[in-house]
Amino acid sequence: MRCPFCGNIDTQVKDSRPAEDHVSIRRRRFCSACGGRFTTYERVQLRDLVVIKSSGRREEFDRAKLERSIRIALQKRPVEHERMDQMISGIVRRLESSGETDIPSNQIGEIVMESLARIDTVAYVRFASVYKNFQNPDDFDKFVSELRPKPVEE
């Protein structure tokens, strides 16, 4: 592993243990050249996934990009960091275990929306506003009205 401080390629692992999410390994490393200490995380990757965009363009699946969009949706919401990481790991596992290597971006969006709806309604609406490309307040109103329980008629 290359040292992020000096670029030396000879670094030593000082400590390894499961990370808090229990789906990755946390490694404390030490650089013998500059004395720098840093942490890396190692995750299992079942297969290389390719995202098929709505334009037909293909790009490599990027867990960090998925994580960024979910973090933005959950920003300032009362959802624990650990819960967010579990949700992201669950989405990635679901995609990797689907048996497909080419995954349409709309399928990923639907899975994210489904996951967000279970843990935080506000984050769900935030994500949906970008994913479904809301253009005006009426789009929000229509979407939110579908979330409200229907009145019981007597």
Side-chain angles (χ1 to χ4, degrees), residues 63-105:
R63 180 190 172 99
K65 187 174 178 181
L66 173 68
E67 190 172 334
R68 269 191 313 275
S69 64
I70 290 172
R71 286 194 191 288
I72 289 168
L74 287 166
Q75 193 171 8
K76 297 184 181 179
R77 298 300 303 152
V79 176
E80 296 173 6
H81 187 76
E82 185 176 297
R83 177 68 178 109
M84 192 181 331
D85 288 340
Q86 288 172 349
M87 184 182 90
I88 293 165
S89 294
I91 291 169
V92 173
R93 266 195 312 274
R94 186 169 163 185
L95 295 171
E96 288 178 337
S97 63
S98 72
E100 298 295 322
T101 53
D102 293 354
I103 302 182
S105 60

Side-chain angles (χ1 to χ4, degrees), residues 22-33:
H22 297 286
V23 294
S24 60
I25 300 292
R26 177 183 179 269
R27 299 195 193 283
R28 289 291 299 149
R29 295 181 177 269
F30 172 78
C31 176
S32 55

Side-chain angles (χ1 to χ4, degrees), residues 58-145:
R58 302 164 62 86
E59 68 180 47
E60 189 176 316
F61 175 77
D62 184 358
R63 180 190 172 99
K65 187 174 178 181
L66 173 68
E67 190 172 334
R68 269 191 313 275
S69 64
I70 290 172
R71 286 194 191 288
I72 289 168
L74 287 166
Q75 193 171 8
K76 297 184 181 179
R77 298 300 303 152
V79 176
E80 296 173 6
H81 187 76
E82 185 176 297
R83 177 68 178 109
M84 192 181 331
D85 288 340
Q86 288 172 349
M87 184 182 90
I88 293 165
S89 294
I91 291 169
V92 173
R93 266 195 312 274
R94 186 169 163 185
L95 295 171
E96 288 178 337
S97 63
S98 72
E100 298 295 322
T101 53
D102 293 354
I103 302 182
S105 60
N106 65 334
Q107 181 181 348
I108 297 170
E110 293 297 327
I111 292 170
V112 171
M113 285 183 49
E114 179 185 306
S115 299
L116 283 171
R118 282 187 297 223
I119 66 168
D120 189 273
T121 308
V122 172
Y124 171 62
V125 173
R126 284 178 178 170
F127 186 86
S129 71
V130 175
Y131 173 66
K132 293 183 179 282
N133 196 21
F134 291 179
Q135 296 296 313
N136 59 55
D138 292 337
D139 295 338
F140 281 95
D141 190 40
K142 182 179 179 215
F143 186 78
V144 170
S145 69

